Amino acid sequence: MQLRPYRTQDCPVLAGLFYDTVHTVNARDYTPPQLDAWADGHVDLAAWDRSLSEHHSLVAVLDGVIVGFGDMASDGYLDRLYVHKDYQGRGIATALCDALEQAVPGPYTTHASITARPFFEHRGYRVVREQQVERKGILLTNFVMQKD
């Protein structure tokens, strides 16, 4: 697996990976209406590209296939971390997180889904608080987590 910097032309592929991952991997912890509110398949590609370009953003590639991505702001906020639904459990999220944390000084914060919480706890993040966020009138539970 190779980690490389994000490129603008990656954005549509990453948006599709995001949608597919949310609707499969996170389906065990969220209802169908919550999944649709979280990822409706209509990402604002210009806004995503702007955000990914401003952050330290990495793309994981395996055998020519984009299998994951993550991005971290300069203040240590881990914004997105998604691994392709067909490549779960292969250390891709760990590799992305390791590289992002090495590139950006801590402390680190993230808003972790119910699904991702154990992954971040294993990495030494602690729950600061549980919260309900509203997306399109639907409430989603996630966790503000921090690693010093």
Side-chain angles (χ1 to χ4, degrees):
M1 179 185 60
Q2 172 199 9
L3 298 182
R4 64 160 173 79
Y6 165 77
R7 302 177 202 141
T8 294
Q9 58 266 35
D10 296 328
C11 202
V13 174
L14 301 189
L17 185 155
F18 163 71
Y19 178 87
D20 289 343
T21 300
V22 167
H23 281 268
T24 55
V25 175
N26 299 98
R28 69 176 181 255
D29 296 310
Y30 295 90
T31 66
Q34 289 174 318
L35 298 171
D36 289 338
W38 181 357
D40 67 3
H42 298 91
V43 167
D44 180 340
L45 293 177
W48 262 44
D49 179 54
R50 194 167 38 257
S51 173
L52 288 163
S53 296
E54 290 171 357
H55 292 171
H56 185 78
S57 301
L58 297 173
V59 175
V61 181
L62 182 63
D63 298 327
V65 176
I66 292 178
V67 295
F69 71 100
D71 67 302
M72 186 177 281
S74 60
D75 65 0
Y77 176 67
L78 179 61
D79 192 0
R80 286 163 285 229
L81 180 66
Y82 291 94
V83 173
H84 191 291
K85 65 182 179 63
D86 297 333
Y87 292 86
Q88 297 285 310
R90 299 190 191 186
I92 296 165
T94 297
L96 285 163
C97 251
D98 286 349
L100 291 168
E101 289 176 0
Q102 288 170 10
V104 178
Y108 308 106
T109 58
T110 193
H111 293 180
S113 67
I114 296 166
T115 314
R117 177 182 170 175
F119 169 81
F120 285 107
E121 287 177 330
H122 183 73
R123 292 189 61 79
Y125 285 72
R126 63 178 173 78
V127 174
V128 174
R129 70 179 178 278
E130 180 177 328
Q131 64 182 4
Q132 301 289 314
V133 294
E134 185 178 333
R135 298 280 184 269
K136 301 179 182 169
I138 303 287
L139 292 177
L140 302 162
T141 299
N142 71 15
F143 302 90
V144 177
M145 300 186 75
Q146 186 170 357
K147 179 179 179 180
D148 297 319

